[in-house]
Amino acid sequence: MMNHTHDAHAHHHHHDHGVFHTHAPAGKMRSAFFLTALILAVEIAGGLLSGSLALLSDAGHVLTDIAAIGLSWYALKQAERPSNQRMTYGYHRAGILAAFLNAITLILIAIWILVEAYRRFQTPETVQPIWMFISAGIGLVINLSMGLTMHGSDNLNVRSAVLHMLGDAAASAAVIVGGIVIVITGWYVVDPLLSVLIALLVAYGAWRIARQTIVILMEGTPLDVDLTTVADAIGSVHGVYNVHDLHVWTIASGRNALSCHIALDGATTITESQSVIREIEHRLLHLNIGHVTIQVEDQNHPHDQAVLCAGSDLGEGHHHHHE
């Protein structure tokens, strides 16, 4: 994953592209999107034909996959779209916003499944297992083949999509097992029971998506970044006396950015400070931070020594910095 870092040094601005978008398979994502849409259609049709809530719930689960794969595909395409004066970071955040709205929708779908399952527990409905087998079987085969062909990618987006596919294959397998149980025992309550399990799976997946997007939208520290490690990496560079006003945030999944102030010896020339900055950029690249902005100061800087900005007066603090 880090194969581009060293030669990217000479032209720093290619750093983040080299690291985060290593040969991302946008074409594979596109075909995965349409295949998953096919599974959705098959499972909705099968759910209506068989009267199986478990299949309809699985269709709800497939919808989480379509969203995940669609977003991954979208993010891979957006990565190619240039930034402009209005959107200086490009359009990466659009995918995060879509993911957040999608997660909320999925939680509502999960609630609907639970309500419907509750109704069916009270009055079990007859289910046609043959349609359950056909629909879930198609879902199982397509998901497994997609998940296995895209397995092993190092792109965060693709990895999460693969997890969705494999989770969905498991849900389809559960529906098939449920159908077998219904054939043998005639115990129709298995259907809403499976639906509840799948609804919980959907809700859990949706909650995870929501939590990650909220951290990104709140400019929180990325989950894969440890702030102390980052501060130590910067502070340990030769010539850096201290680092303060440190912020790390995510532009979009897998694209982390950082800004900080570093104190150097007042006698350091601008040329000398460049090598310090290059060394910091190099170290941060290995910590998955590609977009770096550093403000260089001498040791007599008027700011607080704290690594983080002073809590409550964050706004005022920033005004003082630039006066």
Side-chain angles (χ1 to χ4, degrees):
M1 188 168 156
M2 295 298 176
N3 52 355
H4 304 323
T5 53
H6 297 284
D7 44 291
H9 263 223
H11 38 262
H12 154 62
H13 291 291
H14 294 304
H15 266 186
D16 48 342
H17 304 299
V19 176
F20 297 123
H21 295 284
T22 42
H23 324 297
K28 273 187 183 174
M29 275 296 168
R30 190 181 64 206
S31 50
F33 181 82
F34 290 116
L35 281 170
T36 312
L38 175 70
I39 299 174
L40 180 69
V42 166
E43 295 210 337
I44 288 177
L48 295 173
L49 285 167
S50 67
S52 164
L53 181 63
L55 254 185
L56 285 174
S57 310
D58 199 26
H61 188 225
V62 171
L63 203 57
T64 67
D65 298 358
I66 285 199
I69 293 164
L71 281 164
S72 301
W73 176 27
Y74 177 83
L76 295 172
K77 292 301 289 175
Q78 289 302 319
E80 301 160 15
R81 192 174 170 183
S83 48
N84 56 36
Q85 287 190 323
R86 284 195 63 227
M87 299 287 183
T88 57
Y89 276 131
Y91 291 80
H92 301 288
R93 273 283 166 92
I96 304 297
L97 271 176
F100 178 69
L101 294 172
N102 161 48
I104 302 301
T105 313
L106 292 171
I107 288 169
L108 295 175
I109 288 176
I111 291 169
W112 174 81
I113 296 171
L114 291 171
V115 170
E116 179 65 14
Y118 176 73
R119 196 179 65 73
R120 289 199 180 198
F121 275 126
Q122 293 176 317
T123 53
E125 291 183 21
T126 314
V127 176
Q128 307 295 326
I130 186 78
W131 286 109
M132 284 176 79
F133 292 142
I134 294 171
S135 295
I138 293 171
L140 178 66
V141 170
I142 297 179
N143 267 309
L144 267 183
S145 57
M146 283 194 304
L148 295 174
T149 51
M150 292 167 75
H151 192 60
S153 168
D154 57 5
N155 182 290
L156 197 83
N157 256 323
V158 180
R159 272 182 11 213
S160 70
V162 167
L163 280 176
H164 271 268
M165 291 167 193
L166 296 177
D168 202 64
S172 297
V175 172
I176 292 171
V177 172
I180 294 170
V181 171
I182 289 174
V183 169
I184 296 169
T185 62
W187 204 44
Y188 291 122
V189 115
V190 167
D191 186 59
L193 197 65
L194 271 176
S195 310
V196 169
L197 291 174
I198 295 172
L200 294 174
L201 193 70
V202 172
Y204 174 69
W207 166 242
R208 282 190 57 189
I209 295 170
R211 206 184 61 193
Q212 284 178 314
T213 54
I214 288 167
V215 168
I216 293 174
L217 295 172
M218 292 285 292
E219 305 286 353
T221 304
L223 298 173
D224 60 338
V225 170
D226 178 55
L227 216 54
T228 315
T229 310
V230 170
D232 291 346
I234 297 171
S236 64
V237 171
H238 181 69
V240 176
Y241 284 93
N242 78 10
V243 53
H244 51 276
D245 203 354
L246 174 65
H247 300 275
V248 185
W249 68 99
T250 305
I251 298 164
S253 285
R255 297 179 69 85
N256 297 332
L258 172 148
S259 74
C260 68
H261 298 188
I262 56 169
L264 303 178
D265 186 315
T268 311
T269 65
I270 289 178
T271 310
E272 288 162 355
S273 72
Q274 292 308 296
S275 65
V276 173
I277 290 173
R278 292 290 162 266
E279 176 59 27
I280 291 173
E281 284 172 350
H282 181 68
R283 292 189 186 192
L284 292 176
L285 205 51
H286 289 286
L287 294 174
N288 242 3
I289 300 167
H291 187 93
V292 178
T293 309
I294 301 170
Q295 178 170 316
V296 178
E297 300 168 338
D298 67 14
Q299 291 166 283
N300 304 319
H301 64 83
H303 311 158
D304 190 350
Q305 296 290 346
V307 170
L308 300 175
C309 224
S312 57
D313 58 9
L314 198 62
E316 300 145 44
H318 272 282
H319 295 307
H320 298 321
H321 292 178
H322 304 294
E323 277 166 16

